[in-house]
Amino acid sequence: MATDFFADIPTIRYEGPDSDNELAYRFYDKDRVVLGKRMEDHLRFAACFWHTFCWPGSDVFGGGTFNRPWHAGANDSAAAAQKREVAFDFFSKLDIPYYCFHDVDVMAEAQGVAEHRRYFAEAVDHLEKLQASSGRKLLWGTANLFSHPRFAAGGATNPDPEVYAFGAMQVRDALEATHRLGGVNYVLWGGREGYETLHNTDMKRELDNLGRFLNLVVEHKHKIGFKGTILIEPKPHEPTKHQYDFDTATVYGFLKAYGLEKEVKVNIEANHATLAGHTFEHEIATAGALGIFGSIDANRGDHQNGWDTDQFPNSVEELTLAVLEIIRAGGFTTGGFNFDAKVRRQSMDAVDLFHGHVGGIDVVAKGLLNAAALIEDGRLDAIKAERYAGWTGDFGQQVGGLDLAGIADLAETMAIDPRPRSGRQERIENIVNRIVHSGK
């Protein structure tokens, strides 16, 4: 399976915190046991096809800078096959267990339903062989209902039922391919499921069509026997002015409205969280509290930019807090950390792809070690327990069993005069910083 593209780059191995090798893991020791589980099993790393192998390094002001061999000429069957082989060489050299893809990432460019289905089936046959020879597994698959011009007004929310039907064909085939390839999740990212102006938008119809579409996906999942998790990826805007999957709380409200809250979870992306005005850890904690935490797209944004820059994560503190909330939410079941991240346009060498992923993997791994240290230290949990201790005492138990009038009467009878108490925020921040920077 090895290709020439990464011939000069060795398989990445763990060498420890003191290693000077920039192409080695300093913190990601996949077999190290942390909180009773192997690090690989905690983090379940994946790399993606789209940013890593499909994006040519272009932006709105200029063309591609990468000049990968499979970017030259038409995206035909030969180019798509080369891209798939190079990708699996990359996944193997990173020594991570999983990968992710959109349907159009892995196939030749198609026109119309018949050609799309033929080229995608060809790609799935090849992926099955590559998985078998490499030992890599599929974390999740998805269908791209946003890039082609036909999806300019969305996929499942499109005003044209023919576009809706074309999207249904893509999702059916991608879901069945994910099932066949042993994928453990299926993601729906509504890249254009929103609006640019309300003047031409029937929001009720669009929401109902989206709700029906998602119910049909869940129905088909059960029909074919797919045991994986269906995931929605929240994002507030860009490319549309407003997207219906704005953030985790909005998605939960949508799921409740259409009877899907027991069937669908969320795939949370760090950069999408910050675009929505939240922290990464807030979105994870919200998903955990609502019982819909599923998986993670690991990346970061740029605080000087108001759009989705999809850079590799590089803040140990941010990932410490994120992993802490993942552990508090019960950890991953079918989900994992997928690097939905891309190197910069000026990072055009093959080795740059490794530097981006190795750095990101180590940042997440160090975040896990720090989160475990915070849990084992116990002070944060003790402060939180003390803050809410009143609810487990006699008065709190009485309040929990009364109606509104009863609670009011209790307050009057006991002539309560509650006083404010410290939340210990500065002490908490100091504890986090000390563990992040010195381990204690």
Side-chain angles (χ1 to χ4, degrees):
M1 188 197 64
T3 65
D4 293 335
F5 192 72
F6 298 121
D8 296 332
I9 300 170
T11 298
I12 311 301
R13 303 296 186 193
Y14 171 74
E15 294 185 6
D18 297 326
S19 175
D20 293 326
N21 181 1
E22 294 182 4
L23 290 179
Y25 297 125
R26 298 175 70 241
F27 299 104
Y28 180 55
D29 179 2
K30 68 178 184 179
D31 292 319
R32 177 174 176 176
V33 175
V34 180
L35 297 178
K37 187 187 296 186
R38 292 172 63 248
M39 189 175 279
E40 182 179 75
D41 298 329
H42 268 293
L43 302 177
R44 296 167 60 85
F45 284 126
C48 73
F49 259 89
W50 51 98
H51 288 324
T52 312
F53 298 101
C54 300
W55 181 54
S58 58
D59 65 16
V60 294
F61 297 108
T65 59
F66 292 163
N67 298 317
R68 315 295 193 207
W70 54 91
H71 290 157
N75 179 26
D76 58 15
S77 291
Q82 182 185 22
K83 179 170 58 178
R84 293 190 295 265
E85 289 171 357
V86 171
F88 270 81
D89 193 16
F90 179 74
F91 305 148
S92 297
K93 287 196 171 189
L94 272 184
D95 194 23
I96 56 175
Y98 294 102
Y99 75 102
C100 300
F101 71 87
H102 298 87
D103 51 0
V104 299
D105 298 341
V106 296
M107 58 184 277
E109 187 173 355
Q111 300 297 325
V113 172
E115 202 168 65
H116 181 98
R117 298 202 70 211
R118 182 168 71 254
Y119 288 154
F120 185 50
E122 178 183 277
V124 173
D125 287 344
H126 193 199
L127 290 173
E128 190 171 51
K129 294 175 182 176
L130 291 168
Q131 285 186 196
S133 62
S134 69
R136 305 305 113 176
K137 296 172 288 186
L138 179 60
L139 185 68
W140 52 260
T142 187
N144 181 325
L145 306 189
F146 49 88
S147 292
H148 195 280
R150 69 173 61 92
F151 296 119
T157 59
N158 201 288
D160 184 347
E162 290 189 3
V163 176
Y164 190 95
F166 199 103
M169 177 276 297
Q170 283 190 236
V171 171
R172 179 203 58 188
D173 285 6
L175 178 58
E176 291 180 357
T178 299
H179 181 39
R180 172 182 162 187
L181 294 170
V184 288
N185 305 275
Y186 184 83
V187 171
L188 295 120
W189 180 59
R192 296 189 188 275
E193 311 298 358
Y195 64 81
E196 294 174 351
T197 175
L198 280 173
H199 297 312
N200 65 5
T201 300
D202 183 342
M203 186 182 290
K204 179 67 164 60
R205 181 185 293 274
E206 291 195 358
L207 287 170
D208 284 347
N209 281 346
L210 182 59
R212 177 170 180 257
F213 193 96
L214 189 54
N215 267 288
L216 294 174
V217 171
V218 169
E219 179 184 295
H220 195 67
K221 162 194 165 171
H222 293 302
K223 180 180 179 180
I224 66 175
F226 178 56
K227 302 301 183 183
T229 305
I230 303 295
L231 301 168
I232 287 182
E233 184 169 322
K235 186 178 183 183
H237 54 77
E238 192 255 347
T240 63
K241 174 182 177 179
H242 175 86
Q243 290 181 202
Y244 297 132
D245 51 359
F246 184 89
D247 62 4
T248 295
T250 304
V251 168
Y252 183 74
F254 170 82
L255 296 176
K256 287 281 287 186
Y258 293 96
L260 292 161
E261 72 275 13
K262 302 297 184 184
E263 293 280 1
V264 180
K265 299 184 185 299
V266 286
N267 182 59
I268 296 169
E269 178 176 318
N271 204 169
H272 294 178
T274 52
L275 286 172
H278 305 309
T279 62
F280 187 19
E281 62 269 21
H282 165 87
E283 285 290 89
I284 299 168
T286 301
L290 296 173
I292 58 170
F293 174 69
S295 196
I296 293 292
D297 270 7
N299 59 22
R300 66 182 169 95
D302 187 311
H303 295 298
Q304 279 74 53
N305 289 334
W307 59 88
D308 197 0
T309 56
D310 289 321
Q311 297 174 79
F312 282 91
N314 67 355
S315 169
V316 171
E317 180 178 358
E318 180 176 307
L319 267 297
T320 296
L321 299 176
V323 176
L324 182 62
E325 294 304 329
I326 290 171
I327 294 170
R328 286 172 171 167
F332 292 121
T333 52
T334 59
F337 269 101
N338 169 54
F339 284 99
D340 184 4
K342 57 189 178 187
V343 296
R344 302 299 89 190
R345 291 183 74 235
Q346 296 178 57
S347 300
M348 56 196 70
D349 294 340
V351 71
D352 294 324
L353 291 170
F354 281 90
H355 285 301
H357 285 82
V358 169
I361 286 169
D362 258 351
V363 166
V364 177
K366 187 65 169 71
L368 171 63
L369 296 175
N370 288 341
L374 285 166
I375 290 169
E376 290 168 340
D377 174 83
R379 283 177 289 176
L380 292 191
D381 287 339
I383 292 170
K384 186 182 293 187
E386 180 185 4
R387 189 165 183 240
Y388 291 92
W391 287 97
T392 58
D394 290 342
F395 188 84
Q397 293 293 306
Q398 290 183 67
V399 168
L402 297 172
D403 61 13
L404 182 65
I407 296 171
D409 290 342
L410 180 65
E412 183 178 6
T413 300
M414 297 189 67
I416 61 173
D417 183 19
R419 303 300 173 95
R421 299 177 181 179
S422 173
R424 310 291 185 209
Q425 181 172 336
E426 291 74 21
R427 183 188 174 206
I428 290 168
E429 290 168 346
N430 289 345
I431 291 169
V432 171
N433 278 335
R434 286 170 181 170
I435 285 182
V436 166
H437 297 293
S438 66
K440 59 183 179 180

